[in-house]
Amino acid sequence: MVTAVPPVGTAGGLPRAARRPPRVPALRHLGPNWYACVMGTAIVATAGAALPWRVPGLRAACAAVWVLSLVLLAALLVARSLHWRHHQDQARAHLLDPAAAPFYGCLAMALLSVGGGALAAGRDLLGVRAAVAVDAVLFTAGTAVAVTVAVAVPYLMAVHHRIEPGQAGPVWLLPLVAPMVAAAQGPPLAAHLPAGQARETLLLACLALFGASLLATLLTLPLILARLLTTGPLPLALTPTLFLVLGPLGQSTTAVGHLADAAAPGYAVLAVLYGVPVTGFALLWLALATAHVVRAGRHGMGFSMTWWSFTFPVGTCATGAASLTRHTQLAVCAGLTVLLYAVLVAAWGVAAVRTVRGLVSGELLAAPRPAPGAPRPATARTR
């Protein structure tokens, strides 16, 4: 009896190449910017749960939206894991691309926003204990990622990226605002810890994260405004990213409000003294960014993944206004909260429908075109 010997370089008669995990071409250009879909969906649930006026069926709707955000997060975590496994060259290229690397902040904010949504909107479905457990896991993971990207991305930008003068943009804020999201989501979780060392440590950690993100943002915002005033409007596809500036403004107001809720009553004064001026600047920037978007629309701006910039940042302003409503009991703050939430829901609806349409057509998963004026090489999705 003659036994066939497999050819050299084979195992079980199969070439080594045949034993490699199959590549997934559809995921090759799935960048970290896709986590913006998760953030934008989760904030719809969280901001809805914080509205000062109760509407029949609202909490159930917010819970359903939170479940959707959880499903999106799970799907994207799997898809991005497959991306790193099958397209490592492209994944490394994202890290070395100044247009794509800042979007790793979206991963941290997606984890944190879904975790916070578990307590704010998902507890009616999960129960308090399960909601706290989900939030604790996602908060811990999200905070770790937030601190990592807040250090790693600026380091990569300084050492490995080649950024030309005048290329500062709102996307630079993404890794810097991630610790602020952690600072805002921590105090509600701290309320479920036993009084004493554990709770106080978490609250102090949130305060430290607040300071780190705020100071980093204050250093970066002048660069963005100077670029806008001296170089001119952003490229059409990047114009929606001007709304990203609202993120640290609204989220910091939310964070101070949550810290005041968890601390002594006297801290409510600080929440108002900080929140009102910052909200005023946020509304000023909202008007400026809207004017730029209207101009871009008249010049032919089409849909791109940057349209998700209209969701999460506006949502943080809505939660910030809700915080001011709790601490001032003023009807004008309540009205502002509802108005911002209406804008958020409308923006989310448009972005979600257009994203689904782009996925079905395959356009959003195709190789991206570089955005004019973006740092090179540009592999972030701009269409």
Side-chain angles (χ1 to χ4, degrees), residues 132 188-203:
V132 170
L189 181 61
H192 295 273
L193 293 176
Q197 289 284 330
R199 181 184 299 178
E200 295 300 323
T201 299
L202 179 54
L203 290 176

Side-chain angles (χ1 to χ4, degrees), residues 73-96:
L73 176 62
L76 272 173
L77 288 174
V78 172
R80 287 285 297 161
S81 298
L82 292 174
H83 177 270
W84 269 96
R85 181 181 180 186
H86 299 295
H87 303 285
Q88 293 184 13
D89 60 327
Q90 187 70 8
R92 293 192 185 98
H94 284 157
L95 283 173
L96 298 177

